[in-house]
Amino acid sequence: MADRGRTAGMDDRESPVSEYLSVTAAFEESGEIGAARDLARSFLTDVQVVHGFPVSVGSMGTVQLVVSELVTNARKYAPGPSLLTLDVQSGAVEVSVWDSSTALPAILPPDPSRIGQHGLEIVMALSQSFAVHREPVGKRITAVIALAEDSHSPLGS
């Protein structure tokens, strides 16, 4: 179930500088990976249409790909539910996936001859930042993606 929240600045003025948008959902089945992508697309559409933040087509696709890869890994390698959180602030979306496994992911060096296991490599290449943190229970993987492409982004025109 998704929880959509918005917190405005302390004086409650509507300002894109102080506005914070977030959505969180739990996923328990591998079949729900498509639902995670749909949630990301719907959330970013609302960010653009309802709240007026620019979201490029490329950024929309990149966020959906990152969500798909991170939720897939959580469902594949960790028992129990996983938790996806999307936070928009300062012109970027932070994609965060928590799972119950304490095992940190193996981040392999690029190897074009390797078949499979390129998901985190792709996520890291597409993200402004990437981090893995141990939690009191499990771990959290976070990637940050710009909402609007620029000439320096991997998908920029």
Side-chain angles (χ1 to χ4, degrees), residues 90-149:
S90 302
V93 60
E94 181 180 274
V95 177
S96 178
V97 175
W98 171 88
D99 67 53
S100 62
S101 175
T102 57
L104 298 180
I107 300 171
L108 304 172
D111 180 358
S113 65
R114 182 177 65 240
I115 297 173
Q117 297 185 329
H118 292 280
L120 289 181
E121 182 182 334
I122 293 167
V123 169
M124 290 171 50
L126 295 174
S127 302
Q128 291 179 324
S129 66
F130 176 84
V132 178
H133 297 283
R134 288 191 190 272
E135 297 280 327
V137 175
K139 68 180 169 300
R140 181 172 306 276
I141 299 177
T142 304
V144 176
I145 297 106
L147 287 175
E149 298 170 350

Side-chain angles (χ1 to χ4, degrees), residues 6 33 48 71 79 82 87 126 132 136 150:
R6 178 178 65 83
I33 295 164
Q48 184 171 32
V71 173
S82 57
D87 294 316
L126 295 174
V132 178
D150 64 21

Side-chain angles (χ1 to χ4, degrees), residues 13-59:
R13 288 183 292 167
E14 294 296 322
S15 167
V17 174
S18 64
E19 195 162 11
Y20 177 80
L21 304 166
S22 182
V23 65
T24 299
F27 297 96
E28 298 187 44
E29 304 292 329
S30 293
E32 294 178 312
I33 295 164
R37 283 190 305 270
D38 291 344
L39 175 66
R41 182 177 50 253
S42 173
F43 175 66
L44 290 181
T45 298
D46 285 353
V47 163
Q48 184 171 32
V49 174
V50 176
H51 299 282
F53 288 92
V55 178
S56 68
V57 173
S59 295

Side-chain angles (χ1 to χ4, degrees), residues 67-86:
V67 163
S68 184
E69 290 294 336
L70 295 182
V71 173
T72 295
N73 284 353
R75 300 305 326 126
K76 185 174 181 180
Y77 297 111
S82 57
L83 187 64
L84 167 66
T85 301
L86 302 170

